[in-house]
Amino acid sequence: MTGRAPLHKAAAGAVVAILAATVLAADQFTKYLAIQNLPPEQAVKILGDFLIFYLVRNPGAAFSLGEGVTWIFTIALAVVAVVIVWLTATRLRSRLWAVVLGLLLGGVLGNLTDRAFRQPGFPVGHVVDFINTPWMMPAIYNVADIFIVTMMISVALLVLIGLRLDGTREVRAAKDGRPEVGQSEDAAAHVDGRPDADR
């Protein structure tokens, strides 16, 4: 079966940029609505105990850990964003990776925006959290967090299945150390002369 040709660099960059901008906009808009409409630190039940809105400003990471070293989280988010941009510019040709990295970048930029521009100021701004699902986890989070967590899981899955950033797949060796029967190293990475895309 012939796979689709890999993305051009410009197309991969466009996918990442559009998805990142969409997630960033959604995150900041929902935070704006939360600030304008929710009472601070008061539970507002939307769907009983299934979905609760609870507006807080979080100086730390998940579960409010590291409240005294907020600047470290700012640096970590910035580093992740820079790495994604660098990978997009230099190596990314896979459609699946473009989607995953674009959504991940949007989530990272959402929380990084809070760290940079919200009170008490750069680089220790507090992240706006307002979503609470106690049946799933004892934490309050936001739209950016949802994309960060789900896309990090997606990154792990793509690595496990052996899909590379350029759209080719890793060669799976047989027990004797040689390529699998019927699959040379070249054939494992290409189909009809093209990278084995994700598609």
Side-chain angles (χ1 to χ4, degrees):
M1 178 178 178
T2 303
R4 290 181 290 177
L7 292 173
H8 293 292
K9 286 185 179 181
V15 170
V16 171
I18 291 171
L19 291 177
T22 301
V23 172
L24 174 60
D27 174 68
Q28 292 298 308
F29 182 62
T30 54
K31 287 172 178 174
Y32 169 79
L33 292 178
I35 292 171
Q36 295 297 314
N37 297 285
L38 296 176
E41 299 185 8
Q42 294 183 35
V44 177
K45 293 189 175 183
I46 305 301
L47 295 173
D49 290 330
F50 183 84
L51 176 61
I52 300 171
F53 285 168
Y54 191 94
L55 178 62
V56 296
R57 295 177 184 269
N58 181 12
F63 304 101
S64 296
L65 297 175
E67 295 183 8
V69 287
T70 303
W71 59 273
I72 292 179
F73 303 118
T74 303
I75 293 175
L77 289 170
V79 168
V80 172
V82 169
V83 169
I84 293 175
V85 171
W86 178 78
L87 290 174
T88 300
T90 61
R91 298 177 57 188
L92 184 62
R93 302 292 298 279
S94 161
R95 289 171 176 79
L96 278 178
W97 272 110
V99 171
V100 169
L101 292 181
L103 296 177
L104 176 59
L105 179 60
V108 168
L109 292 178
N111 283 344
L112 185 59
T113 298
D114 286 8
R115 298 295 186 195
F117 299 110
R118 295 192 188 276
Q119 295 297 324
F122 179 86
V124 293
H126 295 179
V127 172
V128 175
D129 291 330
F130 63 94
I131 303 172
N132 183 25
T133 47
W135 57 273
M136 183 170 62
M137 67 176 71
I140 302 172
Y141 52 95
N142 55 49
V143 171
D145 293 331
I146 294 172
F147 282 97
I148 290 173
V149 172
T150 56
M151 291 307 106
M152 288 302 294
I153 294 172
S154 298
V155 166
L157 291 175
L158 291 181
V159 171
L160 285 175
I161 66 174
L163 181 63
R164 297 187 178 106
L165 288 167
D166 64 0
T168 61
R169 294 183 186 275
E170 294 180 8
V171 176
R172 300 298 183 183
K175 292 182 180 180
D176 60 2
R178 295 178 299 177
E180 291 180 347
V181 176
Q183 182 181 43
S184 67
E185 292 185 4
D186 288 339
H190 297 79
V191 178
D192 292 339
R194 295 184 295 176
D196 183 11
D198 41 290
R199 326 232 91 197

